Amino acid sequence: MKDGAEWGAAVLRVRRVAYAGAIVMIGAVGCSASAQTTPTPTPSASATGSVSATPTATVTRKPILVELSPAKVTAGETSKVWILANCPVPSGGPAHTGTATSKAFINGVSLTTAPTSSTATPAPTGTAAGNPWVRGEAQVSGTVKRGTYLVEVKCDGTNDTGKATLRVVSATADTSDDSSTKAPTKAPRAGGGGTFGKDVDEGSGMPVGGVLVGAAVLAAAGLLIKRRVRG
């Protein structure tokens, strides 16, 4: 009996050891699995509201100087006008040119670098801002009516702009006001001392019929006097 009790106790101890080992193995596997699991990140709060952008400062360019030669032409005549513009020299390769447009011009005009010689005609009269001038010649049609017309210039390389005003006026000798071409309002007076052949003055109150009747009465009276004298 003693041997059986000892054997049972030994078996019980073996089972306990086995159970303890199984528990330790399960705990180790669980710790390893939790160590390999990637933790879920905690969502961060997003900032609300919009950030306003800083406004960009805009640089306003001054208009360039534009001159016309001549600045006045005669209506009814085909004329030519020089346009001179003080365009800045562009940097980076574009040519130093410009373009002029106006309702008074037959076509748009290309402006190229003007000669720097002091004897060049036409020469600008205004004060330049250290920039060379460009120029071109425009044609004004004889059908353009009298009035003022805006001439706009754009510098091709820098996009600078400027304006000038062209005047289209009537001719100095206006035939519509020439008194030599008007018809006379009264017939010319005939020579001689009598009343026959004279035109009637518009300021006189006697009508033409009264003049004729008076002449007839005088003629009849004269004829009657002659007959009495003869009788």
Side-chain angles (χ1 to χ4, degrees):
M1 291 298 291
K2 186 177 179 180
D3 293 336
E6 292 178 353
W7 173 254
V11 172
L12 181 59
R13 287 195 295 271
V14 171
R15 288 180 177 177
R16 288 177 179 176
V17 171
Y19 290 156
I23 292 172
V24 171
M25 290 296 294
I26 291 173
V29 172
C31 292
S32 176
S34 63
Q36 295 178 1
T37 303
T38 303
T40 303
T42 303
S44 58
S46 59
T48 59
S50 59
V51 179
S52 60
T54 303
T56 304
T58 303
V59 179
T60 304
R61 295 184 178 181
K62 292 183 178 180
I64 60 170
L65 184 62
V66 178
E67 295 184 358
L68 305 178
S69 181
K72 179 175 66 176
V73 296
T74 303
E77 300 177 0
T78 301
S79 307
K80 292 184 178 181
V81 176
W82 281 96
I83 305 100
L84 299 98
N86 189 220
C87 286
V89 178
S91 59
H96 184 225
T97 58
T99 304
T101 56
S102 175
K103 292 182 179 181
F105 297 163
I106 295 178
N107 296 308
V109 182
S110 298
L111 310 179
T112 57
T113 304
T116 57
S117 174
S118 59
T119 59
T121 303
T125 59
T127 302
N131 301 319
W133 292 77
V134 293
R135 70 174 187 175
E137 192 175 31
Q139 189 172 8
V140 181
S141 173
T143 60
V144 175
K145 297 180 180 180
R146 292 179 296 175
T148 56
Y149 295 86
L150 195 64
V151 178
E152 298 178 303
V153 173
K154 179 181 179 182
C155 303
D156 298 333
T158 61
N159 292 330
D160 288 85
T161 58
K163 301 176 182 179
T165 301
L166 175 67
R167 294 178 57 201
V168 180
V169 299
S170 60
T172 303
D174 192 350
T175 56
S176 61
D177 295 332
D178 189 357
S179 59
S180 62
T181 60
K182 294 183 179 180
T185 57
K186 294 172 62 177
R189 295 181 179 271
T195 58
F196 182 78
K198 290 185 179 181
D199 61 315
V200 179
D201 190 356
E202 288 85 349
S204 173
M206 182 179 293
V208 177
V211 174
L212 296 179
V213 171
V217 171
L218 291 176
L223 182 59
L224 182 60
I225 292 172
K226 289 181 177 181
R227 288 181 178 179
R228 288 185 177 180
V229 170
R230 292 178 181 177

